[in-house]
Amino acid sequence: MLPRMKRVALLVPEDANIAPLENARHGFLAANAYLAQTGAQPCFALQLVAATPCVQLDGGRVQLQADATLESVGAVDLCLVPPPLREDGSLLLSPGNQRLIDWVGAHYRAGGEVASLCMGAAVLAAAGVLDGRRAVVHWAVQQAYAQRFPQVQWACDGVVHYENGIYTSGGAFSAAHLVLHLIEKYAGRDTAIWCAKYFQLDWSRRSQQPFAIFSGHKAHADDVVRAVQEYIEAHYAERLTIETLAERFILGRRTLERRFRHATGNSIVEYLQRIRVEAAKRYLESSRKSVAEVMYEVGYNDTKAFRDTFARYCGMTPLSYRERYL
């Protein structure tokens, strides 16, 4: 049975980063070309859709002519939202983008599917379609998005997440894996594998963890917690305990733990572990120290504890991580 043609709206907000959207468009076109080569009908009907017929992007450097406006696009099965060019949230502020956000929410409530490429998840969140749901996003903006859209369960562990007609994807080139996922779902696994080979994508990648860089959240109002964070970052190789930190900063243990988690989103133990893992990653990337030497340098003396903690936050063993950057 031939797959039904999927009508896909590639949305173009003002201040959008057009590169991931173009990559997605070429991915769907490649899938159509492969289907044609095999004697099958194309699977994707694509339209660039915007609030206005012409959109200025990248400060006017790029001018994009839309195929349709929000009012004229007609019936759509799936809409894709690209990330903003800037990470400061300005994508959501213009009147044109508010119309686009409202359109996305109405499209989903009417039974359509929605997908975000990387940080385009902000549009889905602003439209309310992510409320109470899990969504993946680029690790660099997870904390900022959690503050701005606290009703969403933001994650940066996976590459693609799907539930109830909503697709979200991790950062940058992870968005290509979302396109592969959609191609596999609607055009078949053979077509998706061919596209993965054509674009030279690693079919097996399922996690952002090996690429994530942890930087503790300090954009909060608790000066004492910020001082504790800075102390941990400067003394991570020492034997640090919650009790010694509480004594040093003249706070009760429970009070310190509660304030720290509230301000940073991490427990003190988690924060120390992640700081140590980041330090270990830097050693493994740039030095000739053995894994055992790196373990001692970052404050561990138990091989299993170090390996398990590293794998928890990086998605691979220390040795595998080193081999990645040889």
Side-chain angles (χ1 to χ4, degrees):
M1 181 178 176
L2 292 175
R4 184 177 70 84
M5 181 78 76
K6 301 299 291 186
R7 299 160 298 189
V8 181
L10 305 171
L11 300 182
V12 189
E14 298 173 16
D15 198 37
N17 183 344
I18 197 64
L21 198 64
E22 269 297 282
N23 288 339
R25 190 173 73 89
H26 283 289
F28 290 125
L29 290 175
N32 281 347
Y34 173 78
L35 290 168
Q37 290 173 16
T38 61
Q41 293 296 313
C43 189
F44 302 102
L46 309 173
Q47 291 188 86
L48 291 167
V49 180
T52 56
C54 184
V55 184
Q56 301 286 336
L57 302 171
D58 196 12
R61 295 178 181 85
V62 177
Q63 180 174 288
L64 186 142
Q65 191 72 35
D67 297 315
T69 64
L70 298 173
E71 290 76 18
S72 68
V73 62
V76 171
D77 298 305
L78 168 71
C79 68
L80 263 72
V81 185
L85 195 61
R86 298 188 292 273
E87 299 176 12
D88 59 6
S90 59
L91 177 146
L92 305 177
L93 301 179
S94 74
N97 283 346
Q98 185 58 56
R99 288 168 53 204
L100 185 142
I101 290 166
D102 294 341
W103 185 92
V104 167
H107 166 77
Y108 181 70
R109 288 189 294 273
E113 293 188 316
V114 295
S116 61
L117 305 176
C118 186
M119 292 176 283
V123 170
L124 305 190
V129 302
L130 296 181
D131 289 0
R133 302 185 188 279
R134 187 178 189 272
V136 295
V137 73
H138 195 295
W139 56 263
V141 298
Q142 180 193 14
Q143 290 182 338
Y145 276 33
Q147 285 191 308
R148 183 159 190 168
F149 305 106
Q151 67 276 24
V152 182
Q153 301 165 25
W154 296 106
C156 62
D157 51 355
V159 171
V160 175
H161 181 71
Y162 166 73
E163 63 172 285
N164 298 319
I166 303 169
Y167 306 83
T168 53
S169 61
F173 295 104
S174 293
H177 288 267
L178 171 58
V179 177
L180 281 182
H181 178 85
L182 293 167
I183 291 171
E184 180 180 15
K185 180 175 182 178
Y186 294 117
R189 185 175 179 84
D190 288 348
T191 304
I193 290 176
W194 183 88
C195 288
K197 292 177 178 178
Y198 182 77
F199 290 106
Q200 300 183 24
L201 293 171
D202 181 2
W203 178 266
S204 64
R205 189 158 73 83
R206 294 290 181 268
S207 175
Q208 294 185 64
Q209 286 181 309
F211 306 99
I213 301 172
F214 178 74
S215 57
H217 173 60
K218 296 191 178 75
H220 54 75
D222 196 321
D223 293 338
V224 174
V225 169
R226 192 177 300 107
V228 174
Q229 290 175 269
E230 292 170 354
Y231 188 84
I232 291 173
E233 290 165 12
H235 299 86
Y236 62 81
E238 301 174 10
R239 187 178 180 276
L240 297 179
T241 66
I242 299 173
E243 289 79 6
T244 57
L245 289 170
E247 182 178 348
R248 182 178 187 86
F249 290 92
I250 319 176
L251 285 175
R253 171 181 174 144
R254 289 186 178 179
T255 299
L256 175 59
E257 288 184 297
R258 174 180 53 79
R259 285 173 59 175
F260 195 95
R261 183 180 289 276
H262 177 76
T264 69
N266 298 109
S267 71
I268 293 173
V269 171
E270 289 170 340
Y271 198 90
L272 175 59
Q273 288 175 335
R274 300 200 70 165
I275 292 297
R276 284 174 167 172
V277 168
E278 283 304 311
K281 285 160 64 177
R282 291 193 294 271
Y283 278 119
L284 293 169
E285 292 163 6
S286 60
S287 79
R288 294 185 176 275
K289 293 179 183 292
S290 68
V291 171
E293 289 173 319
V294 169
M295 175 185 74
Y296 292 120
E297 288 282 357
V298 301
Y300 285 93
N301 53 25
D302 182 301
T303 302
K304 185 178 185 304
F306 174 61
R307 185 176 61 248
D308 290 350
T309 301
F310 192 96
R312 182 184 312 133
Y313 294 116
C314 196
M316 60 177 61
T317 66
L319 184 59
S320 296
Y321 188 86
R322 159 156 281 168
E323 290 172 349
R324 175 181 288 263
Y325 292 99
L326 283 176

